[in-house]
Amino acid sequence: MVLLSRFLGVTLDQGPFFIPKDLQIQPLKGTSPGKLGKAGIMASDCEPALNQAESRNPTLERYLGALREAKNDSEQFAALLLVTKAVKAGDIDAKTRRRIFDAVGFTFPNRLLTTKEAPDGCPDHVLRALGVALLACFCSDPELAVHPQVLNKIPILSTFLTARGDPDDAARRSMIDDTYQCLTAVAGTPRGPRHLIAGGTVSALCQAYLGHGYGFDQALALLVGLLAAAETQCWKEAEPDLLAVLRGLSEDFQKAEDASKFELCQLLPLFLPPTTVPPECHRDLQAGLARILGSKLSSWQRNPALKLAARLAHACGSDWIPAGSSGSKFLALLVNLACVEVRLALEETGTEVKEDVVTACYALMELGIQECTRCEQSLLKEPQKVQLVSVMKEAIGAVIHYLLQVGSEKQKEPFVFASVRILGAWLAEETSSLRKEVCQLLPFLVRYAKTLYEEAEEANDLTQQVANLAISPTTPGPTWPGDALRLLLPGWCHLTVEDGPREILIKEGAPSLLCKYFLQQWELTSPGHDTSVLPDSVEIGLQTCCHIFLNLVVTAPGLIKRDACFTSLMNTLMTSLPALVQQQGRLLLAANVATLGLLMARLLSTSPALQGTPASRGFFAAAILFLSQSHVARATPGSDQAVLALSPEYEGIWADLQELWFLGMQAFTGCVPLLPWLAPAALRSRWPQELLQLLGSVSPNSVKPEMVAAYQGVLVELARANRLCREAMRLQAGEETASHYRMAALEQCLSEP
């Protein structure tokens, strides 16, 4: 009786209770046995038995009555012990367990958990251990696991995981086991992970694992579950602690010489951050993978390693692979293994495809494509690139073979989406090889892209499913676009230059689909939308669409004239360019829109929309602004005469811009004789006068011949089209400037009345 008094810190003033000497306290299933002192209760005493029939036990009913009528902690504790005697472990069903909870309530365990001082002779953690044991018993009921009185204990329970104490103390070990049982029960409910994360459980689990104390393996298991359920929230709340766990696991992976390295291969992808992997982990992860993949392995040993490598490639590109001979050999090994796996999976009809593994191999192939096309600081040497291009060509052939077998019923499967993605990555860089096979597949690709475009919600969901398939445990990274068409745009841009593929694309309705897609994507960049949150892929996709349309303007002008979708496209270009040229950081997109609009205007010059309407005037004014602001006069030290130089805004991107600028100048020149109102509009903008003034203020030797030709083309057409333009040019010393720059055509035009 003294022991019970010490446990509870109360005086037993209601007379002695008889505690049966043969009372056996059963341990939790799957944990170390132990007792809370000489009289305690384990959570497993409340474990339900499967298929247990409901029954009424007279003895149990009497003890439950005593439990409900208990007047103090001493009586309640004694009655609770008698209940555990009446109901042996495994002999309790859900209803009976709930009746025990109703009799006990939360008040008693709450006091046990929050007691600050233990009675003399009682370790301070014993009362808390008893409180946790009661909570663990209650948490075996899913409804009680989400009770507010359980959820508000999460911060307290989390602290128990990292509390210091005697590692051999049985009561402390039992308390840790019961704590994990409580937290695991909460995690198993729909909103449980969110409550655990908010309660600081993730950090506590990380610290418990890193401390390698009792139950650290349970901490790792629960961490895995939380990361799988709510990766983003876990990293947001406990990034430093999770990174510490990742570093520890990476070190273990690098050192592992036994079968544990294969287990770590399966575990590590869950602990990779959603953004990028810390550089300090790169060496250990790469070394561990190199040791595994460089050995002769069975598929169950190799596949997790390929999936881990794919996660790293997706998150870090090739940054995690060291430079030098060892890194290049490792990368070549990765890509070769991936290509072999893809061919084995897809070339044999009727073979069950391990879609998660093949999708991981696609990611490694994509890394190989990137490195083979990189000109500077590539990990690969030229002979390695040649060899990898050859094996990747064979693997892409297998992908095409697979896609040709895909029926309409499979088009919405994530693996098909992943297969189209890797094909799109290949076609973006290489269209000359496998040309026959690619042309054979083009009708399917157009229909596939159209299907997903028309069902955009399903397309976005497919992106998520593909990410879940092998690359990322939850959300996709920024390199995964949300639609199939964007995957194919770069390849189609190359293919529209070639006669055969272009005819197939036109026949299958690709131009009309591209116009609709462009207009839809353009809406995302229009006023009223926050363009700062848009991924770069949206603007890149718009630019690539413009390149495809430019190819069609040059190679299939008849299509532009007869297809009504291009009239709608032209209207959008005209209304959008004036605002676009004023926006900072979007010059390259403005260049694409301006140049495409100018080229299309030549073909659609008879359209009513181009006959001096406000929209057409605004478009050409914006186009003049883009063309006229590219160059400025810049003073040079030690010289009296300035030189022609690029404007600061244009200078940094001129390599990507110059072809569009020259094409735009040529297209504007072609529009002048077709649109009678354009020359007077250009004169009002003062572009011809300012252009001559610019040329007159710089050294002719600083102006390259191609620039002279471009400027002369515009000035000549404006002078020919309008008498007032000629007069304005003469007043701006046009004839003298033409002579200095040897612009014979302009000089002759200005000499005429």
Side-chain angles (χ1 to χ4, degrees):
M1 299 317 301
V2 174
L3 181 60
L4 281 178
S5 298
R6 288 178 177 176
F7 270 163
L8 299 174
V10 297
T11 301
L12 299 180
D13 52 5
Q14 301 297 322
F17 285 97
F18 174 70
I19 309 298
K21 294 182 179 180
D22 60 344
L23 176 61
Q24 297 295 320
I25 307 301
Q26 299 294 329
L28 276 172
K29 184 179 181 181
T31 62
S32 302
K35 299 179 181 179
L36 303 182
K38 294 183 179 179
I41 178 170
M42 296 294 294
S44 57
D45 289 317
C46 298
E47 285 290 320
L50 296 176
N51 302 318
Q52 184 70 34
E54 182 180 358
S55 62
R56 290 297 179 95
N57 183 327
T59 304
L60 173 63
E61 294 301 320
R62 186 169 65 255
Y63 292 159
L64 285 177
L67 189 57
R68 284 190 293 267
E69 296 171 4
K71 297 181 177 60
N72 53 44
D73 287 346
S74 177
E75 294 183 7
Q76 192 170 27
F77 184 37
L80 187 59
L81 291 176
L82 293 174
V83 168
T84 66
K85 176 65 176 179
V87 183
K88 295 181 180 180
D91 292 339
I92 183 172
D93 57 19
K95 287 187 176 181
T96 303
R97 183 172 59 251
R98 186 58 181 257
R99 292 175 64 226
I100 295 174
F101 162 74
D102 291 338
V104 176
F106 280 108
T107 302
F108 183 46
N110 284 351
R111 284 204 299 275
L112 292 172
L113 289 171
T114 57
T115 296
K116 299 294 184 181
E117 298 180 0
D120 295 339
C122 176
D124 59 0
H125 64 276
V126 171
L127 297 182
R128 293 195 297 272
L130 177 58
V132 176
L134 289 171
L135 280 184
C137 172
F138 298 156
C139 285
S140 58
D141 185 329
E143 291 184 8
L144 294 179
V146 292
H147 192 285
Q149 287 286 353
V150 172
L151 298 179
N152 65 22
K153 302 299 182 300
I154 290 175
I156 298 175
L157 294 172
S158 297
T159 63
F160 295 163
L161 300 179
T162 56
R164 295 180 179 180
D166 181 3
D168 297 323
D169 186 278
R172 185 177 296 280
R173 289 193 171 201
S174 296
M175 181 177 71
I176 292 174
D177 288 331
D178 289 342
T179 299
Y180 281 118
Q181 183 173 345
C182 290
L183 297 176
T184 301
V186 174
T189 63
R191 298 176 63 87
R194 180 181 302 179
H195 291 296
L196 292 177
I197 294 168
T201 303
V202 177
S203 291
L205 291 171
C206 292
Q207 294 166 24
Y209 173 74
L210 293 170
H212 276 68
Y214 179 77
F216 78 98
D217 52 338
Q218 298 182 69
L220 187 63
L222 188 49
L223 269 177
V224 168
L226 291 177
L227 284 167
E231 179 194 35
T232 302
Q233 292 84 352
C234 286
W235 281 98
K236 182 178 179 181
E237 291 294 327
E239 181 173 346
D241 296 300
L242 286 170
L243 288 177
V245 173
L246 174 61
R247 285 191 288 270
L249 292 174
S250 300
E251 292 174 5
D252 294 343
F253 182 53
Q254 191 273 334
K255 296 175 183 177
E257 297 289 349
D258 54 13
S260 65
K261 61 187 176 183
F262 302 114
E263 298 173 1
L264 285 168
C265 255
Q266 295 179 319
L267 195 64
L268 276 164
L270 291 166
F271 286 87
L272 297 181
T275 50
T276 187
V277 179
E280 58 267 28
C281 298
H282 291 176
R283 183 183 63 84
D284 289 337
L285 293 171
Q286 187 273 331
L289 282 171
R291 191 159 52 247
I292 290 177
L293 294 173
S295 306
K296 187 175 181 179
L297 303 170
S298 60
S299 60
W300 73 267
Q301 295 170 320
R302 181 179 60 253
N303 292 345
L306 291 173
K307 293 169 71 172
L308 174 58
R311 278 293 318 276
L312 290 167
H314 179 63
C316 309
S318 61
D319 292 344
W320 62 286
I321 301 176
S325 176
S326 63
S328 63
K329 289 180 180 179
F330 175 71
L331 177 58
L333 173 65
L334 274 182
V335 179
N336 274 287
L337 287 174
C339 290
V340 169
E341 193 70 34
V342 168
R343 291 188 63 189
L344 288 175
L346 301 184
E347 284 184 345
E348 297 183 15
T349 305
T351 302
E352 182 180 355
V353 178
K354 295 179 179 178
E355 296 179 351
D356 57 340
V357 178
V358 177
T359 303
C361 291
Y362 287 165
L364 297 175
M365 286 175 59
E366 193 166 340
L367 177 62
I369 292 171
Q370 293 169 0
E371 286 299 314
C372 285
T373 55
R374 179 180 294 181
C375 299
E376 298 180 358
Q377 298 181 334
S378 174
L379 292 173
L380 300 170
K381 298 177 181 179
E382 199 59 35
Q384 290 174 314
K385 291 182 179 181
V386 173
Q387 188 270 331
L388 289 183
V389 168
S390 177
V391 298
M392 285 191 291
K393 174 184 173 181
E394 294 174 348
I396 291 297
V399 174
I400 294 175
H401 171 76
Y402 165 76
L403 290 175
L404 285 170
Q405 317 303 317
V406 172
S408 57
E409 72 282 357
K410 290 187 176 182
Q411 286 193 10
K412 295 181 182 179
E413 293 184 1
F415 183 65
V416 176
F417 188 89
S419 301
V420 171
R421 173 184 168 84
I422 186 60
L423 177 61
W426 172 264
L427 293 177
E429 305 295 343
E430 173 58 56
T431 57
S432 59
S433 61
L434 300 171
R435 183 175 302 178
K436 179 180 177 181
E437 292 83 353
V438 170
C439 288
Q440 188 179 1
L441 187 64
L442 276 179
F444 165 80
L445 293 178
V446 176
R447 292 194 300 271
Y448 181 77
K450 183 178 181 181
T451 298
L452 293 192
Y453 167 76
E454 292 174 347
E455 302 176 13
E457 186 174 342
E458 283 83 351
N460 286 323
D461 185 56
L462 274 178
T463 302
Q464 175 70 45
Q465 292 180 50
V466 171
N468 290 341
L469 194 59
I471 304 305
S472 171
T474 55
T475 55
T479 59
W480 285 84
D483 57 75
L485 190 50
R486 194 177 302 158
L487 305 174
L488 298 169
L489 289 178
W492 286 8
C493 186
H494 298 316
L495 292 172
T496 48
V497 177
E498 304 176 23
D499 292 340
R502 182 176 63 251
E503 291 176 2
I504 296 174
L505 288 170
I506 292 174
K507 180 181 178 182
E508 296 296 329
S512 176
L513 174 62
L514 288 170
C515 283
K516 294 177 182 177
Y517 177 79
F518 181 90
L519 297 177
Q520 179 210 55
Q521 294 293 295
W522 191 265
E523 282 296 315
L524 299 177
T525 68
S526 62
H529 291 80
D530 185 3
T531 57
S532 64
V533 300
L534 288 177
D536 293 339
S537 56
V538 172
E539 190 151 316
I540 293 173
L542 289 170
Q543 293 177 22
T544 309
C545 281
C546 287
H547 296 167
I548 295 175
F549 295 141
L550 287 171
N551 289 341
L552 294 176
V553 167
V554 174
T555 60
L559 175 69
I560 307 300
K561 293 179 180 179
R562 68 174 181 267
D563 198 321
C565 70
F566 287 101
T567 301
S568 299
L569 176 62
M570 184 69 209
N571 291 335
T572 298
L573 299 178
M574 288 195 298
T575 57
S576 302
L577 186 61
L580 184 61
V581 294
Q582 303 292 340
Q583 298 176 18
Q584 293 291 328
R586 308 191 73 190
L587 180 58
L588 192 55
L589 179 58
N592 278 277
V593 171
T595 304
L596 175 60
L598 290 170
L599 284 169
M600 290 180 62
R602 288 197 311 178
L603 299 176
L604 302 174
S605 59
T606 59
S607 169
L610 286 164
Q611 305 312 309
T613 61
S616 62
R617 290 180 180 274
F619 169 78
F620 276 94
I624 289 173
L625 193 64
F626 158 66
L627 296 171
S628 65
Q629 292 185 340
S630 60
H631 291 78
V632 295
R634 182 176 299 168
T636 55
S639 175
D640 295 335
Q641 203 167 14
V643 296
L644 188 71
L646 287 166
S647 301
E649 188 179 3
Y650 287 66
E651 191 170 12
I653 58 173
W654 186 247
D656 298 319
L657 201 63
Q658 61 177 338
E659 185 177 356
L660 291 168
W661 186 87
F662 280 107
L663 194 56
M665 290 287 285
Q666 181 182 349
F668 185 91
T669 300
C671 288
V672 173
L674 299 175
L675 302 171
W677 60 268
L678 184 54
L683 182 62
R684 286 192 295 273
S685 74
R686 294 192 56 78
W687 184 28
Q689 300 97 309
E690 292 174 356
L691 180 52
L692 287 169
Q693 183 181 4
L694 174 64
L695 292 173
S697 65
V698 300
S699 168
N701 293 332
S702 68
V703 186
K704 296 179 179 180
E706 59 268 24
M707 295 293 300
V708 173
Y711 286 147
Q712 178 177 225
V714 170
L715 292 170
V716 167
E717 287 300 331
L718 290 174
R720 288 174 179 171
N722 186 270
R723 178 180 59 81
L724 295 177
C725 281
R726 291 195 296 274
E727 293 177 359
M729 291 181 194
R730 293 191 190 106
L731 292 174
Q732 196 62 50
E735 292 178 275
E736 182 180 352
T737 301
S739 176
H740 286 162
Y741 284 90
R742 298 180 181 178
M743 296 180 179
L746 178 60
E747 190 173 5
Q748 179 181 353
C749 184
L750 293 180
S751 65
E752 298 173 355

